[in-house]
Amino acid sequence: MRFLFITHGIETNLFQGPHWLPLGFAYIGTLLKKHGHEVEVFDRYAAIDRLGQDAEKINQAMLNAIKTFAPDVVGLSTVSPMIHDAVYCAKIIRDVFDGTMLAGGHHATALPRLTLEKIPELDGVGIGEGEESLLAFAQGKKPDEIKGLHWRKNSGKESFGRVEQLDLLPFPDFSLFDTAFYTRRTSSIIRGFHLSTLSMLTSRGCSQRCSFCTESLTYGGGVRFHSIDYIMEMVKRALKQYPHVEGIYFHDNDFMFDPARVENICRRFIETGLAKRFVWAIQARADRLKPDLLRLMRKAGCIKMEIGVEAALQKNLDSVRKGTTVDTNEKALRLCRDAGISVHAYLLTKTQNESLADLDFTLKWLKKNRPDTFSLHPLLRHPGSVLYKETGNRFFETQNWTRESVLRFYNEDIFSKVTPQERKNWALSRYNPFYKRHHRIIRYKVNPIRKWPQMLYEALARRLKKLFAK
Ligand code: B12
Ligand code: SF4
């Protein structure tokens, strides 16, 4: 069978250059290829790099790819804030394609039946992880009996696709993507460090259920692991195939979930000499960090840890059910600094009862605790999350999935007490200047002088691009 996968869309005006590679289709595509099926990916994100910030051109290129490749199945990935793009893609694809069209990913998983209802061009949706479901479909299993696929015609109960034994998956074949684009040096993947990188997973799932997050819905509660041998071989092969790659971002939701496993990984990186070949970054919860292990991780090449700090105030941590404390977060930053590991702190804004004083407190907290890099993200209500259930007003159930209405829903600030004008003023006068200065200094501090000319050139090119876009 021939499969064409289409990555979830992008607001073209938000394009920021190379980012994390879409691993979902890397895994699904590689498994299908291993079983003799033909796979191509039309990557709407990477297409912007080739075709510019012109949605019309990208859509045309996508339709041309469908006509040329003539797939049996088109698979779309979905995330809720961009669901309008999937709605649009399905419509225009249907005009030129009469094979099977499916959608999967976080949004389809959270709202499978509704996704079928709102996107009439779809034949079915994938729920949870799609590898085994799509392989079963390609191998001719009766559609109604495939776990993780829900068909329009099927009125039965939905089931989740879940890869129980991760090691049965072949190593992801990155060549399905524009690797020249994804491995281009940038400071935005292992944040601050100007490196050529690849993304990988060593585990899937999360044991927590923070109120804003849908990870434990899509990948199931609890964590499944690849074996250490699998991880070593995956890393070794990728570095051999892409000799210019300098770093790996491990995308696991909670890399540090099992400290003994992390210790084993580190020891193997050191013993095999891989620790000298590449550097790596992870995402971890603040409450999992121990000084000895962090020192070992640094020795094994870990240079960056991304932590969901979320808030500088305990009331906000509690309101999103993070299950951590301000103290734990502050200690985590100190421990990483002592071990020589750079930290990225993710923080939330537009939270419950947020006031201007809270925003100032957050800024003060950043200045005091000095994470090496940080970013502030609005608290979003994704379907499938506890937050959506409690405060989403059944938006997706009751409203049209047009760009305007989806953007309006996501831009709504129903929690905080800060007015849009106050927020703008605060950002312009207080947050942005500090953010810019801090990140500029960090970039030049952590990167060797030989990389500075390229970094300067890129910063200039970005500025010029922005100017032209205006
Ligand atoms: C890397 C990443 C990106 C990358 C690449 C995205 C991509 N195409 O994969 C970039 C930076 C481009 C990106 C962008 C965005 N992202 Co993003 N991203 C991620 C991240 C961190 C990892 C994705 C990943 O590789 N997962 C691992 C692989 C194995 O899983 P997967 O991609 O989900 O795919 C599996 C299943 O979902 C399923 N599946 C997926 N597609 C399909 C299709 C079919 C047909 C089938 C059957 C199955 C199937 O099978 C796959 C294999 O098991 C996730 C968090 C996460 N853990 O998923 C957030 C996440 C997916 N992103 C999210 C969001 C919100 C966005 C943005 C909208 C952010 C924004 N506000 O701009 C944008 C969207 C595009 C835009 N406007 O720019 C949310 C989605 C929330 C939701 N419930 O909808 C997530 C979950 C983060 C979060 N916790 O909030 N993202
Ligand atoms: S935010 Fe992080 S810790 Fe919380 S549920 Fe999501 S992945 Fe797990």
Side-chain angles (χ1 to χ4, degrees), residues 9-10 22-23 76 80 105-106 128-131 204 214-215 219 251:
I10 164 108
L23 276 176
L76 304 163
S80 305
H106 287 267
E129 295 168 11
E131 288 90 341
R204 286 190 190 184
T214 56
E215 308 286 294
Y219 313 108
H251 244 307

Side-chain angles (χ1 to χ4, degrees), residues 298-439:
R298 181 65 198 91
K299 224 172 126 189
C302 177
I303 53 165
K304 188 99 198 178
M305 175 142 349
E306 298 205 334
I307 299 180
V309 164
E310 320 299 4
L313 285 157
Q314 190 61 43
K315 63 167 181 148
N316 287 337
L317 279 176
D318 295 341
S319 81
V320 296
R321 301 179 204 178
K322 188 69 191 177
T324 49
T325 65
V326 173
D327 269 1
T328 315
N329 284 333
E330 293 179 354
K331 188 170 163 213
L333 262 57
R334 278 198 307 276
L335 291 178
C336 287
R337 195 171 305 125
D338 292 349
I341 296 175
S342 168
V343 182
H344 181 84
Y346 286 105
L347 287 141
L348 289 168
T349 181
K350 297 194 177 174
T351 48
Q352 195 72 47
N353 291 326
E354 180 181 63
S355 62
L356 260 184
D358 291 353
L359 288 176
D360 278 339
F361 188 84
T362 303
L363 193 56
K364 235 164 87 191
W365 186 90
L366 284 167
K367 287 178 178 171
K368 180 175 143 232
N369 291 284
R370 294 231 157 222
D372 301 271
T373 52
F374 55 85
S375 50
L376 206 52
H377 304 269
L379 179 62
L380 300 179
R381 297 167 288 163
H382 298 307
S385 67
V386 175
L387 196 65
Y388 178 80
K389 204 169 168 195
E390 292 175 352
T391 63
N393 292 328
R394 295 175 50 80
F395 167 81
F396 286 99
E397 286 83 348
T398 55
Q399 304 295 313
N400 289 330
W401 295 4
T402 57
R403 182 172 181 276
E404 293 67 32
S405 78
V406 172
L407 286 187
R408 199 178 328 111
F409 172 71
Y410 272 106
N411 283 330
E412 238 174 5
D413 177 0
I414 63 157
F415 298 117
S416 96
K417 291 193 267 182
V418 183
T419 66
Q421 192 56 47
E422 283 172 335
R423 186 176 296 284
K424 197 173 165 195
N425 291 346
W426 178 80
L428 287 175
S429 65
R430 316 217 44 198
Y431 179 76
N432 294 0
F434 173 65
Y435 178 94
K436 280 189 189 150
R437 199 173 52 247
H438 180 88
H439 285 87

Side-chain angles (χ1 to χ4, degrees), residues 141-386:
K141 194 168 174 185
K142 260 175 96 183
D144 285 1
E145 291 168 7
I146 300 173
K147 224 173 120 195
L149 283 184
H150 190 75
W151 299 89
R152 185 174 295 285
K153 293 185 204 122
N154 177 351
S155 56
K157 204 173 169 310
E158 302 105 38
S159 58
F160 279 80
R162 195 76 72 223
V163 183
E164 293 302 341
Q165 291 192 53
L166 291 184
D167 275 10
L168 294 182
L169 293 174
F171 303 125
D173 176 359
F174 300 112
S175 71
L176 282 165
F177 297 90
D178 180 351
T179 44
F181 167 69
Y182 280 110
T183 65
R184 193 184 296 160
R185 267 201 188 127
T186 167
S187 312
S188 59
I189 294 188
I190 300 188
R191 294 174 201 258
F193 294 86
H194 198 64
L195 297 169
S196 161
T197 63
L198 277 174
S199 305
M200 290 181 192
L201 290 171
T202 75
S203 66
R204 286 190 190 184
C206 178
S207 60
Q208 307 292 314
R209 195 87 205 264
C210 304
S211 73
F212 54 86
C213 184
T214 56
E215 308 286 294
S216 33
L217 177 74
T218 305
Y219 313 108
V223 188
R224 288 153 293 143
F225 304 103
H226 281 292
S227 68
I228 310 281
D229 285 342
Y230 181 103
I231 298 166
M232 291 304 135
E233 196 54 32
M234 171 173 67
V235 169
K236 238 190 291 174
R237 283 190 195 199
L239 293 176
K240 195 166 167 214
Q241 190 178 353
Y242 301 100
H244 61 288
V245 165
E246 304 160 292
I248 295 177
Y249 185 103
F250 292 112
H251 244 307
D252 310 32
N253 289 134
D254 190 359
F255 188 89
M256 306 284 287
F257 180 77
D258 176 357
R261 180 190 90 107
V262 178
E263 189 179 328
N264 278 334
I265 294 176
C266 291
R267 296 209 183 284
R268 291 282 294 277
F269 281 163
I270 295 167
E271 281 159 24
T272 54
L274 279 171
K276 292 212 173 81
R277 164 67 182 84
F278 78 110
V279 291
W280 45 285
I282 59 159
Q283 303 183 137
R285 280 180 62 88
D287 49 7
R288 304 228 189 273
L289 310 188
K290 298 277 178 302
D292 288 352
L293 186 52
L294 287 173
R295 276 194 290 275
L296 181 67
M297 287 167 72
R298 181 65 198 91
K299 224 172 126 189
C302 177
I303 53 165
K304 188 99 198 178
M305 175 142 349
E306 298 205 334
I307 299 180
V309 164
E310 320 299 4
L313 285 157
Q314 190 61 43
K315 63 167 181 148
N316 287 337
L317 279 176
D318 295 341
S319 81
V320 296
R321 301 179 204 178
K322 188 69 191 177
T324 49
T325 65
V326 173
D327 269 1
T328 315
N329 284 333
E330 293 179 354
K331 188 170 163 213
L333 262 57
R334 278 198 307 276
L335 291 178
C336 287
R337 195 171 305 125
D338 292 349
I341 296 175
S342 168
V343 182
H344 181 84
Y346 286 105
L347 287 141
L348 289 168
T349 181
K350 297 194 177 174
T351 48
Q352 195 72 47
N353 291 326
E354 180 181 63
S355 62
L356 260 184
D358 291 353
L359 288 176
D360 278 339
F361 188 84
T362 303
L363 193 56
K364 235 164 87 191
W365 186 90
L366 284 167
K367 287 178 178 171
K368 180 175 143 232
N369 291 284
R370 294 231 157 222
D372 301 271
T373 52
F374 55 85
S375 50
L376 206 52
H377 304 269
L379 179 62
L380 300 179
R381 297 167 288 163
H382 298 307
S385 67
V386 175

Side-chain angles (χ1 to χ4, degrees), residues 103 105-119 122 124-128 148-152 158-160 217 401:
H106 287 267
H107 187 83
T109 296
L111 301 172
R113 283 171 193 255
L114 208 57
T115 303
L116 284 172
E117 198 183 296
K118 299 274 187 180
I119 312 183
L122 293 175
V125 285
I127 307 178
L149 283 184
H150 190 75
W151 299 89
R152 185 174 295 285
E158 302 105 38
S159 58
F160 279 80
L217 177 74
W401 295 4

